[in-house]
């Protein structure tokens, strides 16, 4: 036995395991792939091995995937072969490394904690190589890697990961700068980690982190600005570091230094932080455990889970800083459904109360309270969510009886934060807190605030301060009455938590046990009525709603005897196979000619009730294989779908079953996206997706578009993974419903994460998903301008993955304002950078209004002038001559009658002048091109004196060209402002004295402030003797 055990040992080289652990499926698969690669290459030279692998890859998708995964696994487990295997991987892969990227993400999200040391090191090495190679989607992998760096953890492994990830970002800075989301995510991550790295032995790492964050904040502040208000919170925590203090002072007092478009700290504080950022500071394991507690653990049974979490993540002194991340995540990301809120699942406020009461540091406690109230300070009812502010008020409300000290300290903090958060913005903070409290009452989170603010358990000074700060929410002092009223109003919550909330912050301190006993003894005095109400509260949820046969009795009586017997039989059995057999018999009864259609509604109600559990939880298997997909569509409810698929549409039973499904849809709307999933996942339904259209027309909605959008919305709310899985099929099968508007696209980008975005982009590039088409893409992108920042960036990434010419959407530039649409402008800027300018592109870029802070046009023209100067010169010449030949008056009228920016001659000249200034200290010879100089001569000959003076430096270039064409080279000109051939209206040419006077005036004009822009009257006629 000993040799066998020794032989088996080397097989598990990827993941840590014990003798009791079953072999990991992923590791087994990767080992099989390694075996395949080694079998193909053993005994061959490098060239022969490469040929053998190439031949195998060309056989099909499965062989391609196996070879790629085999080489990927060798990179992780064989450091000496890593360089060669990565080279082979780059040469052999046919999908832009998609297979590898997906597996890296899977390992990072699911297996990273189990990785052995060598694979862990090699995985980071591989990510570095992918970044060096510029692989599309590598930014998503880097963001997933950053997520694995735990906050509040200074163990050697965590510090190594933080430093290794930072080295990748520093070494590949140019690559990082191409991804706005990666910039923001990395700055958010390292600003948070700096707080943990204050020990003397960590100062070198902290300095690297500080330098990185400062460089990104200084160079790319607009990308960092998308973080929102939590950027201010993180900067506030590190503002005492000297280098950071300078950034902090600029943020508060000199915002334009960071970015011309940044108006001040209030702009950040009023922007809600996306849940993507709040979630990025929890490792996948932390996130999984928290989500489990808030969705599966019953209130009152949470102590052992909290104890485990405490031991694992919150047991050290430095881990205290993690509490803020947890609280921000719970408030901003964990938003339970109404079904969970009304159940006995552990509520969010109980977890936050536990985090507050177990805090051992005063600084960490203050930061935790600020994290809890942070969304209150600048709360806007139109932009912010009630779910972000609900936990704080409920912690105070439910702690009043068992732990009044917690309520008191939170109320005191809420009052004192108003004047002390940032004195110049005291009125805005006061208004934000007032908005929060008002919205809490409007949404009936609490019916009244007076019992909380004016409670006799609070000391007199605090009650007085609350009356002073919030007189609108404090009634006249009559505490007993108010408390009694509160108990009656919030009985729904109090009844089922009264016996549990005393222990909801369970910890090791004896004080809370004493409180619990005291409150329980008080609770005994409440009488049996309270106990009965508690009983009433719980039993319907546990038993009556789901399992009691009485639930379907009212409908059973409406069924005929045969059908009634089958439904009862279905109710009694819990075996899936038996249920499927009974369900098939029910379908057969429906298809019989003597089936009474009147009982359809009652039957649908019975089935919806009996199959309620089938519509809970995830539909899509964790690991997607043919077997798991077939198993997932083998539920009894899928029998109806299977029968529909096998029928012809002209069959009489087809319409009957559709009617049955439509009735079911009214009772259980989730059946819609379950049908979509069946039609995609089931082999039997292959090619039958259009069956959904017949279903949609049979429903009460009667419209495919409406039905599809409602079902996808329900899917979005229930299961984002399923939404992404269905997306390619939905777009390909229903192009007219999905591609004509941005409704479905908005649903998708509102909930996907960076990994899912990358997967969708891969689908697009492989041709299995088309999300835009030429005739509607422009309208969709214009619609997206009102979406959230991450949603817009995701939309643009998906668009750029398509092969739609940029000229198709370039007119969107007319809709973009530099302060309101930085997301679209930054994406367009990067794309224009890669394009060769066409006439339409140049026209649209020049049509942007000139503004000192808007550098879009100048930066684009400057880049083109260095790469495509001849082409750009010809296009600008064409625009100058075209707009110069149009009557000024007509231009003016046209501009005023349209909301969109229109190209005028003055705009072109302003942009060219800005470009001239931008190129003034470079070796770029753009303005020495003949077409540009000829066009400037043409314009100068016909424009009025005001424009000649205003753009004298620009026209001087044309005069030098004219002089060089007509005379031998002279000494440097004496600043003539206009050509001798220039006209004003139809006046004859000016004499030399007038020319001299004009030149003198131009020099004076240069020494004075510029005339205000856009004052030109469009009344001057065009000269007739142009070049």
């Amino acid at each position: 036995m000993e040799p066998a055990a020794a032989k088996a040992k080397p097989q598990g080289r990827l993941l840590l395991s014990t003798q009791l652990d079953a072999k990991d499926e992923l590791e087994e698969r990767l080992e099989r792939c390694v075996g395949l690669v080694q079998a193909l290459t053993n005994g061959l030279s490098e060239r022969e091995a490469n040929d053998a692998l190439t031949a195998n890859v060309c056989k099909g998708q499965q062989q391609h995937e196996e070879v790629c995964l085999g080489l990927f696994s060798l990179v992780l487990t064989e450091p000496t072969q890593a360089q060669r295997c990565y080279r082979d991987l780059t040469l052999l892969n046919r999908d832009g490394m998609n297979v590898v990227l997906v597996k890296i993400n899977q390992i990072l999200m699911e297996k990273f904690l189990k990785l052995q040391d060598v694979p862990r090191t090699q995985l980071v090495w591989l990510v570095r190589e992918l970044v060096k190679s510029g692989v599309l989607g590598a930014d998503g992998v880097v963001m997933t890697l950053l997520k694995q760096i735990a906050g509040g953890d200074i163990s050697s492994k965590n510090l190594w990961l933080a430093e290794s990830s930072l080295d990748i970002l520093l070494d590949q800075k140019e690559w990082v700068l191409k991804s706005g989301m990666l910039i923001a995510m990395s700055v958010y991550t390292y600003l948070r980690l700096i707080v943990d790295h204050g020990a003397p032995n960590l100062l070198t790492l902290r300095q690297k982190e500080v330098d990185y964050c400062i460089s990104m904040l200084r160079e790319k502040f607009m990308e960092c600005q998308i973080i929102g208000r939590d950027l201010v919170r993180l900067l506030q925590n590190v503002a005492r570091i000297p280098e950071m203090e300078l950034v902090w002072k600029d943020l508060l007092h000199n915002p334009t230094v960071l970015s011309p478009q940044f108006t001040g700290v209030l702009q950040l504080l009023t922007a809600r932080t996306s849940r993507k950022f709040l979630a990025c500071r929890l490792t996948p394991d932390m996130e999984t455990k928290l989500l489990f507690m808030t969705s599966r653990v019953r209130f009152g049974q949470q102590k052992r889970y909290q104890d485990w979490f405490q031991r694992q993540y919150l047991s050290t002194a430095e881990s205290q800083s993690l509490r803020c991340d947890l609280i921000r995540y719970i408030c901003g990301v964990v938003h339970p459904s109404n079904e969970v809120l009304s159940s006995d699942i552990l509520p969010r406020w109980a977890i936050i109360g536990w985090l507050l009461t177990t805090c051992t540091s005063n600084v960490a406690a203050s930061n935790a309270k600020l994290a809890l109230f942070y969304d209150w300070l600048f709360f806007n009812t139109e932009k912010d969510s009630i779910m972000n502010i609900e936990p704080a008020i409920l912690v105070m409300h439910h702690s009043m009886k068992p732990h009044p000290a917690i309520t008191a300290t939170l109320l005191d903090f809420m009052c004192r934060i108003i004047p002390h958060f940032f004195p110049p913005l005291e009125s805005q903070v006061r208004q934000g807190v007032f908005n929060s409290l008002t919205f809490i009452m409007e949404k009936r989170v609490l019916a009244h605030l007076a019992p909380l603010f004016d409670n006799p358990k609070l000391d007199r000074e605090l009650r007085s301060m609350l009356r002073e700060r919030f007189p609108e929410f404090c009634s006249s002092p009559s505490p007993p009455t108010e408390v009694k009223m509160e108990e009656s109003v919030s009985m729904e919550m109090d009844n089922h938590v009264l016996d549990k909330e005393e222990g909801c912050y369970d910890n090791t301190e004896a004080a809370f046990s004493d409180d619990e006993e005291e409150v329980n003894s008080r609770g005994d005095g409440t009488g049996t009525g309270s106990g009965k109400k508690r009983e009433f509260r719980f039993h319907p949820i546990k038993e009556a709603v789901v399992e009691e046969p009485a639930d379907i009795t009212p409908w059973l009586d409406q069924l005929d005897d045969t059908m009634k017997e089958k439904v009862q039989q279905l109710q009694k059995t819990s075996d899936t196979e038996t249920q499927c057999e009974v369900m098939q018999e029910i379908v057969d009864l429906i298809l019989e000619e003597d089936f009474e259609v009147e009982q359809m509604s009652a039957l649908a109600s019975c089935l919806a009730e009996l199959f309620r559990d089938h519509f809970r939880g995830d539909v899509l298997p964790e690991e997607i294989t043919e077997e798991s997909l077939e198993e997932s569509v083998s539920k009894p409810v899928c029998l109806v779908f299977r029968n529909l698929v096998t029928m012809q549409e002209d069959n009489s039973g087809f319409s009957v079953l559709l009617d049955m499904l439509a009735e079911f849809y009214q009772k259980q709307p989730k059946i819609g996206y379950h049908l979509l999933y069946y039609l995609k996942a089931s082999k039997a339904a292959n090619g039958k997706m259009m069956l959904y259209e017949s279903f949609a027309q049979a429903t009460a909605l009667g419209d495919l578009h409406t039905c599809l959008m409602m079902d996808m919305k329900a899917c979005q709310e229930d299961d984002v993974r399923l939404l992404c899985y269905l997306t390619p099929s939905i777009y390909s099968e229903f192009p007219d419903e999905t591609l004509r508007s941005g409704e479905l696209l908005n649903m998708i980008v509102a909930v996907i994460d960076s990994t899912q975005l990358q997967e969708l982009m891969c689908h697009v590039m492989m041709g299995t998903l088309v999300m835009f088409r030429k005739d509607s893409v422009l309208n969709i992108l214009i619609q997206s301008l009102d979406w959230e920042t991450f949603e817009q960036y995701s939309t643009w990434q998906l668009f750029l993955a398509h092969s739609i010419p940029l000229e198709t959407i370039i007119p969107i530039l007319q809709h973009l304002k530099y302060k309101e649409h930085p997301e679209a402008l930054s994406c367009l800027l990067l794309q224009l950078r890669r394009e060769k300018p066409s006439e339409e592109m140049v026209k649209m870029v020049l049509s942007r209004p000139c503004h000192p802070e808007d550098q879009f046009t100048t930066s684009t023209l400057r880049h083109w002038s260095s790469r495509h100067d001849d082409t750009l010169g010809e296009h600008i010449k064409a625009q100058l001559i075209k707009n110069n030949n149009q009557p000024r008056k007509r231009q003016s009228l046209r501009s005023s009658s349209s909301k969109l920016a229109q190209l005028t001659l003055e705009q072109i000249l302003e942009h060219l002048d800005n470009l001239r200034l931008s190129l003034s200290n470079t070796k770029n010879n753009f303005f020495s091109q003949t077409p540009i100089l000829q066009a400037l001569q043409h314009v100068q000959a016909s424009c009025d004196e005001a424009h000649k003076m205003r753009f004298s430096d620009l026209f001087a270039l044309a005069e030098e060209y004219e002089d060089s064409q007509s005379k031998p080279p002279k000494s440097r000109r004496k600043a003539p402002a206009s050509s001798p051939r220039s006209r004003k209206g139809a006046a004859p040419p000016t004499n030399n004295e007038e020319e001299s006077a004009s030149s003198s005036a131009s020099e004076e004009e240069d020494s004075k402030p510029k005339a205000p822009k856009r004052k030109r009257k469009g009344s001057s006629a065009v000269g007739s003797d142009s070049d």
Side-chain angles (χ1 to χ4, degrees):
M1 294 299 290
E2 194 75 16
K7 190 175 180 181
K9 186 83 172 173
Q11 291 182 2
R13 303 183 59 190
L14 188 66
L15 304 178
L16 295 168
S17 61
T18 67
Q19 296 293 335
L20 299 176
D21 290 333
K23 190 73 174 175
D24 187 84
E25 290 183 14
L26 173 63
E27 188 172 18
E28 273 191 322
R29 188 184 180 200
L30 290 178
E31 285 175 357
R32 286 198 301 271
C33 294
V34 168
L36 172 72
V37 170
Q38 290 175 338
L40 288 170
T41 58
N42 276 347
L44 302 180
S45 67
E46 278 198 27
R47 185 186 183 93
E48 291 170 336
N50 190 270
D51 291 343
L53 291 174
T54 303
N56 194 62
V57 162
C58 293
K59 290 180 181 179
Q61 179 65 29
Q62 183 179 348
Q63 288 81 358
H64 170 263
E65 190 170 326
E66 287 171 345
V67 170
C68 288
L69 291 181
L71 291 170
F72 164 67
S73 187
L74 285 170
V75 169
L76 295 187
T77 55
E78 301 288 349
T80 55
Q81 300 180 38
Q83 197 69 53
R84 179 180 61 78
C85 290
Y86 179 71
R87 183 200 65 201
D88 292 345
L89 190 57
T90 57
L91 294 172
L92 291 168
N93 86 89
R94 300 286 188 271
D95 62 351
M97 291 284 199
N98 182 53
V99 171
V100 175
L101 290 174
V102 169
K103 276 298 171 242
I104 293 176
N105 269 321
Q106 183 184 353
I107 290 173
L108 284 172
M109 293 298 289
E110 300 172 11
K111 313 289 183 185
F112 190 76
L113 294 178
K114 292 184 177 180
L115 280 180
Q116 296 182 26
D117 290 342
V118 170
R120 185 189 299 258
T121 305
Q122 286 302 108
L123 185 64
V124 174
W125 178 87
L126 178 57
V127 172
R128 183 191 296 271
E129 294 302 308
L130 291 170
V131 171
K132 279 184 185 177
S133 305
V135 173
L136 184 65
D139 54 340
V141 171
V142 173
M143 285 188 270
T144 310
L145 184 65
L146 292 176
K147 185 176 173 66
Q148 279 292 353
I149 307 170
D153 180 0
I154 56 172
S155 63
S156 57
K157 284 185 178 180
N158 199 56
L159 291 173
W160 169 81
L161 182 59
E163 188 161 16
S164 301
S165 303
L166 182 59
D167 288 340
I168 294 174
L169 299 174
L170 290 170
D171 295 344
Q172 304 298 324
K173 187 176 177 181
E174 288 301 315
W175 174 83
V176 172
L177 295 178
K178 296 175 184 176
S179 172
M181 182 51 63
L182 178 57
I183 291 171
M185 199 71 81
S186 60
V187 168
Y188 189 91
T189 297
Y190 283 102
L191 279 177
R192 166 63 189 86
L193 293 175
I194 288 169
V195 176
D196 298 335
H197 301 159
N201 62 317
L202 302 177
L203 290 182
T204 304
L205 171 58
R206 189 179 83 166
Q207 192 57 48
K208 285 170 69 175
E209 293 168 338
V210 168
D211 292 342
Y212 174 77
C213 291
I214 288 176
S215 70
M216 289 300 168
L217 288 165
R218 293 283 186 196
E219 297 170 30
K220 293 286 182 181
F221 186 79
M222 290 312 294
E223 281 76 4
C224 299
Q225 188 181 327
I226 65 172
I227 295 172
R229 61 174 64 117
D230 277 80
L231 177 60
V232 180
R233 182 177 64 85
L234 295 179
L235 284 170
Q236 195 173 6
N237 290 338
V238 297
R240 292 184 183 277
I241 299 172
E243 300 94 327
M244 281 294 185
E245 188 176 9
L246 297 175
V247 177
W248 180 247
K249 286 181 177 177
D250 284 341
L251 184 79
L252 298 182
H253 308 301
N254 198 8
T256 52
V257 170
L258 297 172
S259 169
Q261 301 173 31
F262 181 48
T263 57
V265 70
L266 186 61
Q267 185 179 346
L268 277 175
L269 289 168
T270 52
R272 181 162 60 95
T273 298
S274 168
R275 58 179 59 190
K276 311 288 181 187
F277 296 106
L278 299 177
C280 82
R281 286 318 318 125
L282 268 65
T283 65
D285 188 57
M286 291 180 198
E287 199 169 1
T288 302
K289 299 299 188 292
L290 268 185
L291 290 174
F292 177 82
M293 282 199 281
T294 55
S295 62
R296 303 288 178 86
V297 177
R298 296 189 183 280
F299 193 22
Q301 300 174 3
Q302 72 270 23
K303 188 176 187 304
R304 67 193 189 104
Y305 300 101
Q306 291 174 349
D307 289 346
W308 182 92
F309 201 94
Q310 176 99 15
R311 286 194 306 273
Q312 190 78 8
Y313 296 114
L314 298 171
S315 58
T316 61
E318 57 273 6
S319 66
Q320 298 302 309
S321 62
L322 179 61
R323 295 178 191 275
C324 296
D325 301 331
L326 296 171
I327 290 173
R328 292 298 295 143
Y329 178 84
I330 291 168
C331 291
V333 181
V334 182
H335 291 175
S337 65
N338 288 333
E339 186 180 9
V340 172
L341 288 173
S342 62
S343 72
D344 61 342
I345 296 297
L346 179 66
R348 296 186 299 162
W349 61 262
I351 299 178
I352 290 175
W354 161 66
L355 291 171
L356 291 172
T357 55
T358 54
C359 196
T360 58
S361 158
N362 290 334
V363 174
S366 296
N367 289 337
K369 284 183 274 191
L370 180 61
L372 179 60
F373 282 105
Y374 207 62
D375 289 310
W376 287 53
L377 306 184
F378 296 89
F379 187 81
N380 184 326
T381 54
E382 295 180 1
K383 297 180 182 178
D384 292 298
S385 168
I386 185 66
M387 299 298 282
N388 289 24
I389 60 173
E390 179 214 57
I393 198 72
L394 290 181
V395 168
M396 294 188 285
H397 171 71
H398 291 292
S399 301
M400 180 62 82
K401 293 173 185 176
H403 309 300
I406 296 172
T407 303
T409 189
L410 291 176
L411 287 172
D412 181 74
F413 182 86
M414 184 179 72
C415 291
R416 297 184 190 278
I417 196 68
I418 294 173
H420 295 120
F421 178 72
F422 186 44
L425 296 179
E426 180 180 351
S427 60
Q428 287 90 336
V429 176
R430 185 187 304 279
Q431 186 61 46
V433 175
F434 179 83
N435 289 345
S436 302
L437 293 170
T438 305
F439 205 50
I440 282 166
M441 293 183 65
E442 284 179 7
K443 295 296 181 182
R444 305 286 292 177
V445 178
L446 291 184
H448 301 284
L449 294 174
L452 180 63
F453 286 5
D454 202 18
N455 197 292
K457 291 189 177 183
L458 303 176
D459 65 65
R460 190 172 300 171
E461 183 183 349
L462 177 56
R463 289 164 67 188
S464 175
M465 184 161 60
L466 285 164
R467 283 199 202 101
E468 181 186 339
R469 292 264 197 267
F470 309 109
E472 304 88 347
F473 305 107
C474 296
S475 61
S476 56
S478 52
T481 309
E482 292 298 335
V483 172
K484 192 172 181 181
M485 179 180 69
E486 170 62 18
E487 287 176 354
S488 65
V489 169
S490 59
M491 192 63 75
E492 180 185 43
M493 181 65 80
D494 282 351
N495 283 340
H496 84 282
V497 302
L498 190 62
D499 57 341
K500 296 179 180 180
E501 63 186 8
E502 291 83 352
C504 64
Y505 314 143
D506 281 337
N507 55 38
T508 57
E509 294 177 24
F512 287 108
S513 298
D514 295 340
D515 288 348
E516 185 177 17
E517 290 171 14
E518 182 185 339
V519 174
N520 280 339
S521 66
R522 285 201 308 268
D524 292 339
T526 58
T528 56
S530 176
K532 286 179 181 176
K533 288 178 182 174
R534 263 201 300 278
E535 196 76 1
F536 175 75
R537 172 68 183 164
F538 275 101
H539 275 83
I541 294 175
K542 287 183 178 176
E543 300 167 6
V545 173
V546 180
E547 299 175 12
E548 285 296 326
D551 285 344
I552 61 171
T553 304
W555 301 297
L556 278 175
D557 295 335
Q558 300 173 39
L559 303 176
D560 62 39
D561 292 340
T562 311
M563 185 65 76
K564 183 177 180 179
E565 181 184 341
K566 294 299 178 187
V567 171
Q568 287 175 327
Q569 190 179 343
L570 189 65
Q571 183 184 20
K572 290 173 184 175
T573 182
S574 58
D575 176 61
T576 303
E577 192 171 337
T578 308
Q579 283 185 329
C580 288
E581 292 173 1
V582 176
M583 189 63 203
Q584 182 59 53
E585 292 172 6
I586 290 175
V587 171
D588 292 339
L589 286 174
I590 294 172
L591 296 175
E592 288 179 2
E593 291 184 1
D594 59 349
F595 176 72
E596 296 175 7
V597 182
E598 291 77 14
Q599 58 182 329
M600 191 86 79
S601 177
L603 177 60
S605 298
C606 290
L607 295 177
E609 193 70 16
L610 292 173
F611 294 147
R612 179 179 294 180
D613 283 347
H614 294 184
F615 297 98
R616 289 177 179 157
D618 295 339
V619 182
L620 195 63
E622 278 298 320
E623 176 121 12
I624 299 176
T625 62
E626 288 185 5
E627 294 78 16
S628 63
L629 287 175
E630 281 301 317
E631 184 179 347
S632 69
V633 294
S634 300
K635 297 176 181 178
V637 74
C638 297
L639 260 297
V640 182
F641 305 156
R642 190 181 303 169
N643 280 271
L644 273 172
V645 164
T646 56
M647 286 184 178
Q648 298 295 326
E649 289 194 13
D650 54 359
N651 189 318
S652 59
F654 183 85
S655 60
V656 176
L657 272 186
L658 273 184
D659 292 341
M660 171 66 205
L661 214 52
E663 285 288 344
F664 203 136
Y665 188 67
Q666 288 190 359
K667 320 296 181 187
Q668 176 53 272
K670 295 181 182 182
I671 195 77
Y673 71 77
H674 279 253
L675 173 60
L676 286 169
Y677 173 68
Y678 178 87
L679 294 174
K680 166 146 178 131
S682 173
K683 285 182 180 178
N686 190 22
K688 299 273 190 174
M689 185 63 82
M690 295 312 293
L691 176 66
Y692 178 82
E693 184 172 355
S694 302
F695 161 74
Q697 291 166 353
T699 64
L701 298 171
D703 173 57
L704 175 60
H705 179 80
T706 307
C707 194
L708 183 62
M709 292 304 119
M710 286 181 65
D711 289 342
M712 294 305 283
K713 182 66 178 173
C715 181
Q716 179 223 39
E717 292 171 354
D718 290 347
D719 192 346
V720 178
R721 281 183 68 241
L722 179 58
L723 178 72
C724 295
Y725 176 77
L726 290 176
T727 293
S729 296
I730 299 302
Y731 270 94
S732 61
E733 296 291 341
F734 309 108
D736 291 335
E737 311 305 324
T738 53
L739 296 174
R740 68 186 184 191
S741 77
E743 189 176 353
L744 178 57
L745 178 64
N746 191 17
M747 286 183 210
I748 295 167
V749 297
V751 292
I752 58 173
D753 58 24
S754 53
T755 303
Q756 291 159 337
L757 170 62
Q758 186 258 338
E759 289 171 359
L760 289 177
M761 290 172 67
C762 291
H763 278 297
V764 172
M765 295 187 69
M766 290 189 292
T768 56
L769 172 61
V770 178
M771 303 182 82
F772 301 95
R773 62 185 180 195
K774 289 185 180 180
D775 61 349
S776 58
V777 61
L778 179 58
N779 288 333
I780 292 175
L781 289 176
I782 292 171
Q783 289 174 34
S784 75
L785 298 178
D786 295 325
W787 300 351
E788 285 191 8
T789 293
F790 183 82
E791 297 169 12
Q792 288 193 54
Y793 278 126
S794 299
T795 301
W796 280 96
Q797 293 275 36
L798 290 167
F799 164 74
L800 294 176
H802 290 71
S803 299
I804 298 176
L806 193 63
E807 281 194 337
T808 307
I809 58 102
I810 199 68
I812 197 175
L813 269 175
Q814 297 178 297
H815 297 263
L816 303 182
K817 298 177 182 176
Y818 78 97
K819 280 192 175 179
E820 296 176 22
H821 307 118
E823 301 90 348
L825 284 170
S826 59
C827 293
L828 269 175
L829 192 63
L830 292 175
Q831 193 60 15
L832 286 169
R833 190 174 183 272
R834 302 186 183 96
E835 298 281 337
K836 183 177 180 181
S838 65
E839 184 176 356
E840 182 66 14
M841 287 182 193
V842 173
K843 178 183 175 182
M844 287 298 164
V845 168
L846 289 172
S847 69
R848 290 189 60 72
C850 290
H851 193 284
E853 295 176 8
D854 185 6
Q855 300 295 318
F856 181 94
T857 298
T858 305
S859 58
T860 306
L861 293 178
R862 176 167 176 157
H863 178 77
W864 280 342
S865 70
S866 64
R867 300 290 179 91
H868 312 284
D869 53 343
D870 294 340
T871 308
L872 180 62
E874 290 294 338
H875 290 324
I876 289 180
K877 175 185 176 182
Q879 293 301 326
L880 276 169
I881 293 175
K882 179 180 177 182
N883 282 273
N884 189 47
N885 289 337
Q886 290 181 356
R888 305 282 196 278
K889 191 165 186 179
R890 203 185 86 207
Q891 279 188 2
S892 176
L893 287 172
R894 182 184 63 181
S895 299
S896 63
S897 64
S898 172
K899 291 183 179 179
L900 300 180
Q902 298 289 345
L903 184 58
T904 64
L905 178 63
E906 186 178 25
Q907 269 181 311
I908 302 176
L909 293 174
E910 283 183 42
H911 287 311
L912 286 179
D913 206 31
N914 289 336
L915 179 61
R916 178 187 63 78
L917 291 170
S918 173
L919 297 174
S920 59
N921 295 323
T922 68
K923 295 181 181 179
N924 191 301
N925 297 320
F926 177 75
F927 282 97
S928 63
Q929 293 183 91
T930 301
I932 292 289
L933 298 172
Q934 288 176 343
L936 288 174
Q937 281 185 340
H938 181 89
V939 173
Q940 185 188 25
S942 57
C943 71
D944 54 34
E945 289 299 324
H947 285 82
K948 289 177 184 176
M949 293 171 69
R950 183 175 172 191
F951 302 109
S952 58
D953 290 338
L954 198 58
F955 289 137
L957 301 171
E959 289 173 2
E960 288 178 352
Y961 168 74
E962 182 184 7
D963 292 343
S964 69
Q965 294 292 308
S966 59
K967 300 176 185 177
K970 289 185 178 182
S971 60
R972 188 163 181 80
R973 70 179 182 87
K974 297 183 181 179
S978 59
S979 167
R981 293 174 299 171
S982 57
R983 301 283 187 271
K984 185 173 183 181
T990 59
N991 58 29
N992 290 339
E993 292 176 0
E994 289 170 334
E995 179 182 334
S996 175
S998 174
S999 173
S1000 169
S1002 174
E1003 289 178 350
E1004 290 176 16
E1005 182 71 12
D1006 286 348
S1007 66
K1008 296 177 183 179
K1010 293 279 186 183
K1013 297 184 180 181
R1014 306 191 186 284
K1015 296 288 186 183
R1016 174 172 59 80
K1017 305 291 183 185
S1019 57
S1020 58
V1022 178
S1024 58
D1025 56 342
S1026 67
D1027 291 333

